[in-house]
Amino acid sequence: MPQASDNKLVMLVDDTPDNLKMLSDALDEAGYMVVVATDGASALERLDFVLPDIVLMDALMPVMDGFEACRRIKAHPVAGHVPVVFMTGLTEPEHVVRGFQAGGIDYVTKPIDTDVVLARLDAHLRNARIMSVAMNAMDAVANAVVVLDGQGQVTWKTSKARLWLSEYFAHPENAAGLPPVLATWIAQQLERPRTEDAGEFTVVAGATSAASAATAPAAGKRELRLRLTASRKAGEYVLLMDERELPAAAADTLAAAYQLTAREGEVLHWLAKGKTNRDIGEILGMAPRTVNKHLEHVYVKLGVETRAAATALVLTHMHKGSA
């Protein structure tokens, strides 16, 4: 019978007293600490006071079954990473699939064989420990990273990512998902053909909407840039965040000098940052044809004919401003 390497905490959720006693005794003998719940709702309540290392969940329980309880655990802002192993007498393929779709990592069939349960718990805890070390290492070096599944749903965030999402989007640090405007942008990126590069989302400190994020930044403000990239793992994506202090906005001074309208100045600002007409349209909430019209006016007022010439003029003003 495998032994736990240390006093790992197991949450045991079952509405059958005999099963609770048998498993609790076996886990205790193997060196595990055990917290017991007799239904899904009670298990969720206990998460407010204790964070288990793994959950052993009965699939069929009254009021809230194990599948629903597992889904809620996976959506919990603190316990979402905790592995859930189902105990079930339902062995039909659709029931097994249902357990995995709810977020379960494994299942054991009833009648319960305690040796099998302990062996699987030990294996999953070892894997969870390795993952925990990796996550702690990411937090330790202060990387701002959000890991997403194939549908754009959050599976994990670093502490730095939670902080920046709170600062730039007024998004609660303990919230499980992403700010609506960012979730919408990610959904748009995932709909693009795989051959296209993912875009970049930029927001200035204090901006909480796509419209305000698109405003040309003032000097001395901070800017958060977010880039979506595919993970090495199929069906997984990584949202990378990078923060920087903004220099004086050269496009702003250029807009004033050449009497550009506010909208023309915004278009010029994003043009100088290397954005395509499509990107500018998405950022500013306008059609690509409208972007082209603004650029035509900008070119006339600046006395240039191409994007490259307009960008060069902005860079020239930037160098003058920093000289």
Side-chain angles (χ1 to χ4, degrees), residues 135 138-139 142-146 156-163:
M135 290 179 174
M138 290 286 286
D139 277 342
N143 283 328
V145 176
V146 178
W156 176 64
K157 304 173 191 170
T158 63
S159 297
K160 178 64 78 173
R162 290 179 182 275
L163 176 63

Side-chain angles (χ1 to χ4, degrees), residues 244-262:
R244 65 168 185 159
E245 291 288 336
L246 291 172
D252 284 355
T253 59
L254 197 63
Y258 287 86
Q259 298 182 333
L260 303 184
T261 67

Side-chain angles (χ1 to χ4, degrees), residues 13 37-47 61-65 69 72:
V13 189
T38 56
D39 56 61
S42 298
L44 293 170
E45 289 175 0
R46 281 161 175 70
L47 293 179
M61 294 180 291
V63 184
M64 183 189 296
D65 64 20
R72 296 195 185 189

Side-chain angles (χ1 to χ4, degrees), residues 61-199:
M61 294 180 291
V63 184
M64 183 189 296
D65 64 20
F67 301 119
E68 177 61 23
C70 182
R71 279 191 287 270
R72 296 195 185 189
I73 289 173
K74 293 292 113 180
H76 194 279
V78 177
H81 68 283
V82 175
V84 176
V85 177
F86 280 107
M87 300 179 291
T88 179
L90 305 174
T91 57
E92 293 299 319
E94 60 266 28
H95 297 136
V96 174
V97 169
R98 187 181 174 193
F100 286 117
Q101 288 176 336
I105 195 172
D106 200 356
Y107 73 98
V108 293
T109 57
K110 293 182 177 181
I112 295 297
D113 183 326
T114 56
D115 287 346
V116 172
V117 171
L118 292 170
R120 294 197 175 189
L121 287 183
D122 187 60
H124 290 305
L125 281 170
R126 284 199 305 271
N127 291 336
R129 191 177 300 117
I130 293 171
M131 182 63 70
S132 178
V133 169
M135 290 179 174
N136 289 338
M138 290 286 286
D139 277 342
V141 296
N143 283 328
V145 176
V146 178
V147 180
L148 309 166
D149 63 19
Q151 288 70 51
Q153 300 300 308
V154 174
T155 59
W156 176 64
K157 304 173 191 170
T158 63
S159 297
K160 178 64 78 173
R162 290 179 182 275
L163 176 63
W164 281 350
L165 289 174
S166 174
E167 289 184 354
Y168 283 85
F169 296 91
H171 191 63
E173 285 194 50
N174 62 350
L178 290 171
V181 64
L182 190 53
T184 299
W185 176 78
I186 287 173
Q188 292 171 347
Q189 301 307 308
L190 295 182
E191 288 174 359
R192 288 186 174 187
R194 288 295 185 93
T195 55
E196 291 189 20
D197 292 334

Side-chain angles (χ1 to χ4, degrees), residues 100 179 214 275 319:
F100 286 117
K275 300 298 183 184
H319 290 312

